[in-house]
Every structure is written in C-alpha cells, then in structure tokens.
Amino acid sequence: MDTNYVGMVLQEVQKIKQKTSINIADDNIFSILQIEHKERFHCRFLHYLIKTHWRDFEEYFNYKFKLENENIAFSCCEYSCGSLQGCEKAVDGYVDIFFQMQSGKILAFEVKLYADDQPEQLLRYKYCLKQRFGVNPILIYLTLDGKMPSLESTSCEGCKRKRDRLCHIHQYQKLEKNDYIMLSFQEIVGWIKTLENSFVQTGNISAATGLILQYKNILEREISMQKVVSEILHT
C-alpha cells in the first residue's frame, strides 16, 4: 500500500460525516471505521508511517537494524514469497511489510498482533528472500511485547519424503536468534513519541499527523490491555 493510505482513511471519514449525523471525535476515527483491531490495518498504517518518516525511523532504530543513510528503492505490504516447490507442507506466504533498499538490503516485517504463528513461517520467508535477492534479509518479528517467535515458525522437522528428496527449506532446519530481530509495538510507540515532539516543535499539525498520534493511542491501549490479560492469566 502506498503513501495514499492516510488520504484514503480521511476520505472515508468525510463520507461518514456526509452520510450520518455522527460527531466523529478526533480520538476515535479508527474506531468509527472499525479497523483498529484489524491486523491488515496495522500493517498498512505502519508501512505508511515508516515510508513517510524513513530517516527518523532509520535513526531511531539504528541500534537494532544497523542501517545508516539507506534509501528505499521499493516497498509494499503483503509481499508474496510464494510456495516452495517440492515442499509438501509449505503454502503461499506473504511478508506483511517489505522494504528493499537501493543498496540491496531487505527489511521484512512479520506482524503478529492477533494471529498465531504459521508452520515454518519465518523459516520459509528467510529462505525465499535469500534465494530471490541473494542477500540475508533483515527479518523483523513485530509483536506487542517483543516476544520470541515459536519453534513452529522458525523450524522444520522435514516432510515424509525420502531423505534425498527433502524440500530445499529443510537444509536450514531451524533459524537461530541472529537470523531475525524481535521488535515490540512498545518500541514503535517510543519512536512515534519522538515524531510527536518533532511535530510540536515544528508546528507540523495536520490531519495526517493527527492520525499518527491517534494510532499511537491505539497501540498504547492494545499494549495496556495485553498486560492486563497477561496478569489475569498468570494469577
């Protein structure tokens, strides 16, 4: 999804205003559109946010991704990795957020807010992107609390084939911790807060910046709710 995503959201808000008498408050646009709990919304909005504020993102997360003065050549949501030929278990896969740098580096985000890990998911994405681009992708596992991916996602026990006919992915068997980077939405909130300070200092207050701050509020509520649920489950 390109940078017109926020414009599309604002257009939908205007349509609702025209068709109804609802007074849409500044803090509930995403709720009115009924998209705040949809994972695809988070992926698309985060893609927009990173792409339009790339330098800020690159600088803030340099300690994690070791990126410096990189320029985006291509980016999208739901980048297709396809299925692995000859693998009995693999299915078509889509990287949630994809960035290719002009230098050739690849950033691939797997976003997990509400969905569970899929079998061999990160393992398949790592193999696919390395084979396709000839470089080790920076594979980012993004969750509310920065948790580790499951073994189901990062390993493969092999198929019921003869040993000489195992699918290509089986040669990896298991991703190690240095094969991916865990990132939390709490860290994303921290980054957005630095953007918020910049907006205030520069006087850059617009409908688009307003949506960004509303998005931060949504993430903070989701994070807070997860903590409450976790406390309940562990008492």
Side-chain angles (χ1 to χ4, degrees):
M1 190 59 123
D2 60 22
T3 55
N4 289 327
Y5 182 64
V6 163
M8 293 170 61
V9 170
L10 292 173
Q11 287 176 11
E12 289 300 314
V13 171
Q14 287 301 119
K15 289 178 183 178
I16 292 174
K17 284 183 176 180
Q18 293 170 3
K19 293 180 179 180
T20 71
S21 59
I22 295 176
N23 180 23
I24 301 177
D26 288 340
D27 63 350
N28 70 353
I29 287 177
F30 297 118
S31 298
I32 292 294
L33 294 177
Q34 298 181 344
I35 58 177
E36 64 178 313
H37 297 302
K38 295 183 178 180
E39 205 155 278
R40 180 173 291 183
F41 150 68
H42 284 277
C43 294
R44 291 184 175 183
F45 197 87
L46 189 56
H47 170 250
Y48 156 81
L49 192 57
I50 295 172
K51 186 174 181 178
T52 55
H53 298 84
W54 170 250
R55 288 298 174 212
D56 299 287
F57 179 86
E58 182 184 49
E59 180 180 356
Y60 187 87
F61 287 108
N62 183 53
Y63 73 99
K64 271 188 176 285
F65 308 138
K66 309 302 181 186
L67 297 172
E68 189 172 356
N69 296 321
E70 294 283 352
N71 295 301
I72 299 172
F74 173 77
S75 70
C76 68
C77 291
E78 300 175 8
Y79 178 81
S80 176
C81 274
S83 60
L84 294 174
Q85 186 176 6
C87 180
E88 293 178 341
K89 298 195 295 182
V91 295
D92 286 347
Y94 296 87
V95 173
D96 289 323
I97 307 172
F98 175 88
F99 287 92
Q100 182 179 23
M101 302 296 123
Q102 290 181 2
S103 66
K105 290 182 179 179
I106 302 294
L107 269 74
F109 290 76
E110 180 56 32
V111 181
K112 293 294 182 186
L113 279 92
Y114 315 112
D116 294 328
D117 286 345
Q118 297 177 22
E120 300 90 37
Q121 190 171 30
L122 289 185
L123 187 63
R124 286 186 281 116
Y125 293 170
K126 184 85 171 184
Y127 172 80
C128 167
L129 296 173
K130 185 174 182 179
Q131 289 295 107
R132 188 170 294 176
F133 296 102
V135 297
N136 268 317
I138 301 174
L139 194 59
I140 302 159
Y141 187 72
L142 176 59
T143 61
L144 283 173
D145 58 0
K147 68 179 180 181
M148 290 182 62
S150 66
L151 279 175
E152 183 181 29
S153 178
T154 60
S155 61
C156 176
E157 296 179 354
C159 306
K160 296 178 181 178
R161 290 172 175 262
K162 293 181 180 179
R163 191 161 187 81
D164 61 347
R165 296 185 60 195
L166 286 172
C167 64
H168 300 296
I169 196 173
H170 187 64
Q171 65 182 291
Y172 287 87
Q173 294 187 353
K174 179 183 177 182
L175 293 181
E176 302 299 333
K177 287 186 178 180
N178 60 359
D179 286 320
Y180 55 85
I181 297 172
M182 294 174 291
L183 183 67
S184 72
F185 273 100
Q186 185 66 64
E187 292 172 284
I188 295 293
V189 167
W191 170 52
I192 296 176
K193 286 181 177 179
T194 66
L195 294 180
E196 182 178 10
N197 292 336
S198 176
F199 296 155
V200 172
Q201 291 173 5
T202 61
N204 180 21
I205 305 299
S206 63
T209 58
L211 284 180
I212 291 172
L213 301 185
Q214 290 170 34
Y215 182 63
K216 180 202 70 173
N217 294 337
I218 288 174
L219 291 181
E220 288 179 327
R221 288 200 299 270
E222 293 289 333
I223 292 166
S224 177
M225 183 62 68
Q226 187 197 50
K227 289 179 180 178
V228 171
V229 171
S230 180
E231 289 175 1
I232 292 173
L233 292 176
H234 291 87
T235 54

